[in-house]
Each structure stands twice: as C-alpha cells, then as structure tokens.
C-alpha cells in the first residue's frame, strides 16, 4: 500500500488500519481483491498485475462506479475506493450476487455507515451488467 | 519491505502494474502531480475577488455561481445542503454551482464575515441557515439591481430564474455572469431587511438533490489531507506516551541509525517520540523498531475496573447535582405499590474515523500553514497560532474535506498542535504527520464511561408516580471546558433529560421526577462522540421505560403514549414510527419489536427495531423504522443517508465497541480488538420525515440516541431479560 501511495503516487488506495482488517487499501492482484497493506512488495512477482481504483475503468465507467454515483452512495468517501474494488471483484466472480454473497464478500469497514446503499449499489451494478439496456430502477 | 526506487516502480508499472495504466505510463493522473496547499478547491477566498458579489457568492463570467461554505464537509452532506439554501435565494442555475471553503485566516482578516466554522453538534445547517439564505438573497438583489441600472428600468420590473434576468416589457435578458462585475460595486442591502422565501415554496432547498461531491469519491480522485504531496515534504510517524499523563523516559536512537530515509528521531513535550523520514513507511517502520521507555507515573495503576468502582460509588453517594427535582420523588417511590430498580452501564468509546488523525504543517520564522482534516477550521487556526507562537494573521489553515469526524476533529486540535510542534523543528519544510491506527485508537478523546441507577414507582393502577435517575460518570466539560460548569452544575451530562424545550427535552411528564448527576472523572481524556450524552442517556431512560412498562403489564408504546400527552412533537414521531413499522401487527416467528424515542440537537427521533435472538444468543437486527422531526428538511435524501449512517454507528456501539483501560493506557489496539459493525449486520433502514416547519433541528446526531435502546428493548422482548450493560457482545443473552 505505501509503495502504491507514496512511491507510485496513486492515493486513491487508502490507509485505514495497516493490518488487513478494514479493506480501505483493497486493490486487485491478478483479478482477486487483496488488502494491499499486508502484501510486502517483495512478494510481488514481475508477472503480477495490480489494478488500483484509478485503473478500474476510464472515466468512472465501471458498472460498480456508475451505480455508486447514481445512488449517491459515498458519504465521506474515504472507504469507497476499497469498497468499489471489493464489489468489482465480487461481480466478476458472481455476476448476480445474492444478499448473502454480498454479506460475505463486502467486509470492508465504512464508519459513515453507507452499508445499506452499498448493498443496493452492488445489486444495481449487477443488473446493469446483466441487462445494460434495462430501464433505470429508482434509487433504493 | 524491499526498497524500490520510484523510477524502478514506474518502469515496472509499464509492464506489470496496471495502476491506472494510462496514468502511470503517461504520467498524467498521479505521478509527480503535487496536491499542494490550497489548490484543490478554489481556496481563492484570500482577498475579495472582483467578482465577489458578497462573502457567500462569487459569480464567474461563465455564469458559474461559486457558493462559499464555511462549515466542513465530512460526508454528512452539509456542503450540498448549505449550497441548496444559498441557491434557493440566489435563484441561480443549480447545474452551475461549484463550492469553495473560505479560509479561517481570511475570515479572521475580514472580521468573521462567514460566522462560525465549527461543524459539530449537528449545527452545520441549523445554526447558519438564516444568514446563508440572507447572503444568497442579498446577492440576488444587487445582481438584479445591476441589470436594472444598466437598462435604466426599475428593479421591480425584472424577474430572475436560473441565473437569467429578464425584463419582460422590453424583452431583454442578461445573465448573472454578465452583470456580476457591476453588482460587486453596489452597496448590498441590509440583510435584516430581506424577506426570505417561505420554506413551503422552496424549489431547490428541501428537495432530494444529488450531492455535489460524489464524482471524486467513486474513482479515487477525491483528495483527503492524508493524500497531500508537496515538493520537499517529509513525513512524520509519532508515538505518544501510552499512559495518559505519563512521560517519556528514554529512547535508543542508535538502534535505528542508518535505517533508510530516516532524517531525525526526537521527542516533543517530553511525551511524544517522533521519527521524520522521506516517506511515512520509512518513518513508521523505524519508529516500530525504536526501543522506547515510558514513565507512566501514578496513572499507570488505573484500569477499567478501578474506574468502574469509582463510578459505582457515585451511584449511591450522598452528594449529586440534581438537574431536575420535581415533586417528592424519593417519597413517592418509597410509598409506591410497585418498585422497579436497575443499574445500567456504558463504556468508553473511540471514534475510529476511517482516515487516521493527520495534519501537514509548514512553519517558518514568519508564517505557519496547515492542511488538516478539521471539523472546526477556526479552532485549528487558534491552536496553530498558540503552538507556533505566530499571530493569527501569520497563520493559515487550508481545510480539506475529511472523512467522518464524529466529534473527534472539533475542539481538540491535538493533531494540529502536534504537527506544528514537529514542523517547528524543520523550518520551511512541509511535514506530513500521520498517526497509525493504533496511535489513533490509543489517543482519542473518548466517549465518556458512565453508569446509571434508576428507580421507579407504580401505584395500584400501574400508573408511574415517581422516577429517580442518577447518572454517575465522567464529565466532558470537566475535561475540556471547566468554565462551562457553574457551581458544580454540569447539565450537559444530563442532555436529553432537560425540562427546557427546544434542544434536548425529556418527552415524558412524571409527577415526581428526580434526575441527578454524580461527576466521577478519570484520567482518560474524554470528548464529544456522535450524539454525545444523548446516546447513553437515551439507553438509560428508554430501556428502563420498557422495564417499567413490563412491570405495569402494559404495551411499551401505550405506556409511553400515556406519559407524553404534553409533548406533542415527541409523540408525533413516536406514533409515526409505530405506524410505519406496523406496531402490534404479527411478525415472523422469532422476530420481536422494540421502540424508543428521544430528543437531541433540536430534533425529535423515534425508532422501531425488529430483532431476533437465536437459541445460541446470536442477535440479528432485521429492520429499523425511524421517524424524525427536524423542523425543516433541507435535503431528504441526505437526511435518509445520515439516519442510515447513525443507525450503523449506533449499532456498532451497541453490539461491539468498547475501550478497555489497563495499566493506565488503552489496551484496545486496532480493529481486531475494537470490532466495528460491517455490512452483513446492517438492517434494512426506513426513514419517515415528519417536518413541522416551525423550528430548525440538527440532522447528523439526533437519531443515534434511539438506535441502542430500540434494539435493546427488542432483545428484552425476545428474551424476557433486560440488557443493562454494553456492548451486547459481552452479555450472555440466553
Ligand atoms: S489499511 Fe489495509 S485493510 Fe486496512
Ligand atoms: S463513506 Fe465514509 S467511511 Fe465509508
């Protein structure tokens, strides 16, 4: 995490706890969501592929990002990069997750308590991916 | 960690790191782009710009109406809400409303033209709505006047909508952007002479408009203070004496000599060890490897157990401050047909803002600057001036949107002071100080610990004839502002039980009522935590109400209603919550309801919780229905978001959170032993807003005080046993 933030200079990946407990630093490592604060740079191989929030999509166009913006999910926004990375990884594995799938996959902490809208936004992103032309659902 | 040069990483990244690949490869988004002092929001308030129509409104030639926001945005939506209020009166185009923070230094230079900066006590909107609306209206009036003078027609023949001024008779129109420069030269009207629009006719305010600040929060581009980068900046990691009131004995700098990037290891104020390095990672790893010895002093023997014993003694001590003493309570209870008694307790809590405490400071001989996540820019300004020894006009605070503050980042500017003290050691060099999560939890201003002893008496017909409530606990005022306690009367600790209407009034009428506070302080620093005393006082009163109702053999809703007939606003939200929740209607097997109502921050809240308890004692909160009267609702969607957020914060405290003191220090370290609520536990939250339009109440805090008691009452309904001590995770329910 500190390499990403301090050396590469991508500060969308946040510091929350430093010990893999909060998820603020979540990034994708070869497509899997990982908590970057607990991955020493020495463990990263030359063939590994890391994607941070900045690389998730051009122009915030990932369905998870769009759903968050549509539903005005973020409050302070500090946890949201990590939450979005976790949700994107979940949807890649399970394109139409159940509430229970969301409970299990979305373990990142949000002190502002945006959990209810995070859940709604994951469902919305899943729907948008499944049927991009479907009419907009009103905000939950 | 393997040491990597930045160049190596960037080169690596071309091939393997897809960190915003375009950005890294092309160097656009991130690399080397400094995020410096005052360059994110237009902190251009320094000096009235020629297009400043008044302190609140700056109009650009392209018709963008910049609205100035003095309060801090920390996720609660105050920026959007305040902008809605100004825009409502300004009649500008809502699609062209950027906002900016004026700086505290500029406010000082301009005689506090923006009023208070403090953002706490749910005051962001309720205290400033009047003058910001007048600011918007005054700007509209002189903009119209400018057009009228240009066209040589009376101003009252002009109309305005979406920033376009029209003279219907001559079919002429112009825009705010075109007349702003002329308007800025006119004398503004007396704000007191302005008639504001009736809130029932609002078009922009009162509407569920989307937030103005979401875009940067979904792609990582929103910058927080912790993300600041400045040329030549150094990083500081700190460790404060873990025992409150203790001191530093020694540290062995030789043990970390030669570690990469480390510039200096030193102590400030004989209690904080600081490592300054080229990156925070280097500073923090060196600090972790540094042997330090502390002298805890006399506080080192104190623990949660000694503090609890001290509080317990206060529950029955002869002396206590009687905040309310109506009738003859002790006698009434003594002579009652039935007596009910209970003792409740609630622990110290930490705020645990997601963005750990941090502050970046630069101090030179004649100037000090900070960029800091603060709930009170003026408090930061005052603290940095004191700490740096420089007068206020040589100090400047650049505010940054912060992650939730929850009361941690208001009056206590310990982080600002510490950053200034460190930066003084490096004149002219910006120093970014970040606390580790462990440091953040170990050095908070905690929600105070308290206990409460309650007794009630019912007569033969099960009517409540007397209620005695005594809180024993630590006082926030005693720690932070003893001058507020006059003659030993610390009413703040009895928040929510007050007789006076308007702020935090008790919603019950009881013929014999005695409400007392026994101050029992500890060495642990305490402060404001979302909801402050209402969240504990709400638990005590509202849970005990259910105990009394059960003893009386009455339904908890009906029992409350009978006591609330002289408090129609309290009663209205209680009824609204009960109705929406379907109180009394059948529920799925195993699900039980609990209800609670309370008042705080000028607003009325009630909630019904639906809860089940498994045979193993696992609790699930399924649904919570809130009803609220804030008087005026400026943005219903943002209000609903605050209610959901306060439900999560309140549930987290109810079930999980507890700060434990051992050997004089906080034993709790990080999220592993300070668990907080996560998504899987979030119930379905519904919000019913009952605006009565005859007052202005706060939004961010009021609802938290009903969360805990409603859930605890539902658990009581499920198990038949009251839960009297928090957090619930420590209690054996079945
Ligand atoms: S900072 Fe990595 S999980 Fe918290
Ligand atoms: S939005 Fe503030 S911590 Fe999640």
């Amino acid at each position: 995490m500190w390499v990403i933030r301090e050396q590469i200079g991508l500060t969308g990946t946040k510091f929350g706890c430093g010990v893999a407990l909060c998820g603020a630093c979540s990034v994708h490592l070869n497509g899997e969501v990982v908590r970057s604060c607990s991955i020493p740079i020495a463990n990263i191989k030359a063939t590994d592929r890391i994607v941070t929030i900045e690389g998730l999509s051009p122009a915030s166009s990932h369905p998870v990002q769009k759903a968050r913006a549509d539903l005005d999910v973020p409050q302070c926004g500090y946890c949201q990069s990590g939450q979005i990375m976790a949700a994107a990884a979940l949807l890649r594995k399970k394109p139409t997750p159940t509430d229970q799938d969301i409970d299990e996959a979305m373990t990142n902490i949000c002190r502002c308590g945006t959990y209810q809208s995070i859940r709604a936004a994951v469902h919305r992103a899943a729907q948008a991916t499944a049927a991009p032309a479907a009419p907009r659902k009103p905000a939950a | 960690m393997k040491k990597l040069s930045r160049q190596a990483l960037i080169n690596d990244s071309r091939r393997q790191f897809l960190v915003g690949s375009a950005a890294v490869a092309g160097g656009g988004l991130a690399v080397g782009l400094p995020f410096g002092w005052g360059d994110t929001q237009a902190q251009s308030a320094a000096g009235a710009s020629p297009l400043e129509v008044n302190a609140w409104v700056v109009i650009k030639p392209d018709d963008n109406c910049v609205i100035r926001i003095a309060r801090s945005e920390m996720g609660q939506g105050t920026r959007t809400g305040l902008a809605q209020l100004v825009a409502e009166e300004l009649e500008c185009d809502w699609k062209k409303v950027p906002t900016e923070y004026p700086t505290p230094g500029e406010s000082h230079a301009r005689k506090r033209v923006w009023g208070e900066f403090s953002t706490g006590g749910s005051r962001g909107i309720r205290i400033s709505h009047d003058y910001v609306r007048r600011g918007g209206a005054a700007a509209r009036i002189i903009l119209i006047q400018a057009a009228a003078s240009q066209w040589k027609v009376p101003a009252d023949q002009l109309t305005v909508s979406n920033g376009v001024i029209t003279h219907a008779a001559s079919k002429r129109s112009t825009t705010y952007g075109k007349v702003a420069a002329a308007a800025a030269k006119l004398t503004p009207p007396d704000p007191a002479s302005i008639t504001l629009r009736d809130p029932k006719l609002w078009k922009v305010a009162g509407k569920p408009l989307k937030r103005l600040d979401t875009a940067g929060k979904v792609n990582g581009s929103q910058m927080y203070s912790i993300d600041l980068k400045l040329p030549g900046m150094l990083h500081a990691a700190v460790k404060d004496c873990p025992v409150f009131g203790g001191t530093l004995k020694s540290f062995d700098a030789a043990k970390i000599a030669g570690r990469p990037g480390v510039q200096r290891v030193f102590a400030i104020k004989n209690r904080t060890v600081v490592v300054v390095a080229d990156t925070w990672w280097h500073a923090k790893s060196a600090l972790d490897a540094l042997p330090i010895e502390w002298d805890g002093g006399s506080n080192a023997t104190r623990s949660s157990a000694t503090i609890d014993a001290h509080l317990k003694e206060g529950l029955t001590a002869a002396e206590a401050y009687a905040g309310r003493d109506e009738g003859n309570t002790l006698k009434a209870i003594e002579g009652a047909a039935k007596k009910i008694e209970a003792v409740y307790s609630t622990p110290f809590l930490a705020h645990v803002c997601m963005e750990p405490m941090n502050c970046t400071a630069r101090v030179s001989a004649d100037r000090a600057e900070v960029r800091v996540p603060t709930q009170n820019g003026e408090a930061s300004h005052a603290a940095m001036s004191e700490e740096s020894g420089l007068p206020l006009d040589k100090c400047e605070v650049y505010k940054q949107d912060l992650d939730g503050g929850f009361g941690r980042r208001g009056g206590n500017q310990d982080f600002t002071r510490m950053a200034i003290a460190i930066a003084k050691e490096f004149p002219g060099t910006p120093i970014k100080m970040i606390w580790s999560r462990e440091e953040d939890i170990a050095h908070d201003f905690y929600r105070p610990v308290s206990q409460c002893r309650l007794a009630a008496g019912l007569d033969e017909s099960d009517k409540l004839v007397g209620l005695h409530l005594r809180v024993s606990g630590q006082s926030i005022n005693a720690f932070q502002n003893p001058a507020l306690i006059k003659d030993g009367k610390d009413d703040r600790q009895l928040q929510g039980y007050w007789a006076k209407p308007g702020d935090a009034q008790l919603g019950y009428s009881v013929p014999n009522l005695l409400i007392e506070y026994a101050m029992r302080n500890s060495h642990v620093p305490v402060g404001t935590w979302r909801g402050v005393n209402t969240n504990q006082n709400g638990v005590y009163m509202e849970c005990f109400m259910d105990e009394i109702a059960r003893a009386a053999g009455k339904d908890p809703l009906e029992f409350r209603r009978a006591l609330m007939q002289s408090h129609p606003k309290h009663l209205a939200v209680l009824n609204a919550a009960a109705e929406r929740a379907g109180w009394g209607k059948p529920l799925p097997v195993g699900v039980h309801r609990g209800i609670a109502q309370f008042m705080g921050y000028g607003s009325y809240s009630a909630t019904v919780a639906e809860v089940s308890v498994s045979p193993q004692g696992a609790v699930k909160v399924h649904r919570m229905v809130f009803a609220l009267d804030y008087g005026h609702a400026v943005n219903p969607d943002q209000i609903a978001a605050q209610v959901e957020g306060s439900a999560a914060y309140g549930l987290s405290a109810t079930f999980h959170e507890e700060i434990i003191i051992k050997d004089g220090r906080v034993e709790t370290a990080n999220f592993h032993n300070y668990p907080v609520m996560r998504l899987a536990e979030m119930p379905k939250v519904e919000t019913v807003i009952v605006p009565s339009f005859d007052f202005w109440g706060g939004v961010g805090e009021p609802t938290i005080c009903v969360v805990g008691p409603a859930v605890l009452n539902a658990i009581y309904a499920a198990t038949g046993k009251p839960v009297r001590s928090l957090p619930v995770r420590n209690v054996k329910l079945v």
Side-chain angles (χ1 to χ4, degrees), chain B residues 330-404:
Chain B
L330 299 182
K331 193 160 152 246
I333 296 174
E334 191 55 47
K338 263 187 218 158
K339 270 181 253 169
I340 307 105
E341 287 183 4
V343 173
Y344 283 75
S345 65
T346 51
F348 286 117
L349 298 178
H351 297 80
V352 205
C353 308
M354 282 309 287
E355 176 188 7
M357 295 304 117
N358 68 89
C359 176
T360 300
R362 175 166 57 197
V363 181
S364 49
D366 58 356
R367 181 150 178 92
E369 293 163 304
V370 294
R371 184 177 272 277
V372 59
T374 178
Q375 288 180 243
N376 187 344
E378 288 183 313
S380 308
H381 198 217
M384 70 185 290
S385 168
E386 263 179 47
E387 191 69 43
S388 66
L390 291 164
L392 284 172
D393 57 5
K394 298 263 189 296
C395 294
E396 188 56 290
V397 178
Y398 298 100
K399 286 201 302 181
Q400 191 63 28
D401 282 13
L402 51 151
D403 83 309

Side-chain angles (χ1 to χ4, degrees), chain A residues 68 73-81 83 108-115 118, chain B residues 74-75 217 224 352-355 402-404 406:
Chain A
R68 298 244 166 172
V73 173
Q75 288 189 26
C76 79
Y78 194 81
C79 72
Q80 297 288 332
S81 300
Q83 303 272 10
N108 295 11
I109 295 172
C110 173
R111 284 298 269 169
C112 296
T114 63
Y115 297 128
I118 289 175
Chain B
M74 46 189 170
K217 295 176 180 173
Y224 302 83
V352 205
C353 308
M354 282 309 287
E355 176 188 7
L402 51 151
D403 83 309
F406 312 120

Side-chain angles (χ1 to χ4, degrees), chain B residues 376-439:
Chain B
N376 187 344
E378 288 183 313
S380 308
H381 198 217
M384 70 185 290
S385 168
E386 263 179 47
E387 191 69 43
S388 66
L390 291 164
L392 284 172
D393 57 5
K394 298 263 189 296
C395 294
E396 188 56 290
V397 178
Y398 298 100
K399 286 201 302 181
Q400 191 63 28
D401 282 13
L402 51 151
D403 83 309
F406 312 120
R408 172 66 179 89
R409 291 172 155 131
N412 308 300
Q413 293 287 325
D414 51 322
F415 41 88
T416 303
R417 289 174 190 280
M418 194 184 276
I420 290 280
I422 297 169
K424 273 168 84 175
E425 302 283 325
F426 295 80
T429 301
I431 306 284
K432 175 156 77 177
M433 173 202 74
I434 305 176
W435 292 12
S436 65
R437 175 59 66 200
E438 290 76 9
E439 197 64 18

Side-chain angles (χ1 to χ4, degrees), chain B residues 534-668:
Chain B
T534 64
N535 60 59
Q536 290 158 295
N537 292 349
V539 167
Y540 304 147
M541 178 61 76
E542 287 301 284
C543 289
F544 193 59
M545 233 355 121
D546 266 41
E547 293 201 41
I548 310 173
R550 179 172 289 231
K554 303 237 175 79
D555 170 77
L557 172 63
E558 291 309 326
F559 187 74
R560 282 180 174 78
R561 277 178 176 156
L563 300 172
M564 292 172 71
Q565 295 306 315
S566 319
H567 295 91
K569 286 202 164 86
H570 292 78
L571 183 59
V573 293
L574 183 78
N575 284 336
E579 191 188 328
R580 167 72 82 93
W583 186 266
K585 301 225 175 84
L587 281 166
V589 179
V591 179
H592 298 264
R593 288 193 186 95
I595 195 164
Q597 67 81 26
F598 215 59
M599 183 186 188
Y601 304 91
S603 296
Y604 304 81
S605 312
T607 189
V608 173
E610 294 174 6
V611 172
S612 57
V613 182
S614 78
Q616 293 74 36
V619 182
K620 169 114 188 112
V621 184
H622 302 273
R623 176 183 181 224
M624 295 190 80
V625 177
F626 288 85
L628 318 144
D629 183 358
Y630 299 125
H632 291 77
V634 173
N635 187 325
D637 276 6
Q638 291 316 313
I639 287 176
Q642 282 307 297
V643 173
E644 289 162 27
S646 71
Y649 213 70
L651 288 170
S652 190
T654 304
F655 285 101
H656 305 295
E657 297 178 31
E658 176 184 31
I659 284 289
I660 296 170
I661 307 295
K662 195 173 165 226
D663 302 331
R665 65 184 73 188
V666 168
E667 191 185 36
T668 325

Side-chain angles (χ1 to χ4, degrees), chain A residues 11-71:
Chain A
T11 52
T13 302
K14 297 298 186 214
F15 166 50
C17 68
V19 288
L21 292 169
C22 76
C25 64
S26 300
V27 300
H28 292 174
L29 172 61
N30 303 323
E32 297 278 335
V33 65
V34 293
R35 296 187 167 171
S36 64
C37 64
S38 301
I39 300 185
I41 197 74
N43 291 8
I44 300 291
K45 298 189 296 295
T47 49
D48 284 337
R49 192 180 146 92
I50 296 178
V51 180
T52 69
I53 182 72
E54 290 90 347
L56 185 63
S57 73
S60 307
S61 56
H62 190 285
V64 169
Q65 290 169 301
K66 282 209 272 197
R68 298 244 166 172
D70 288 349
L71 300 185

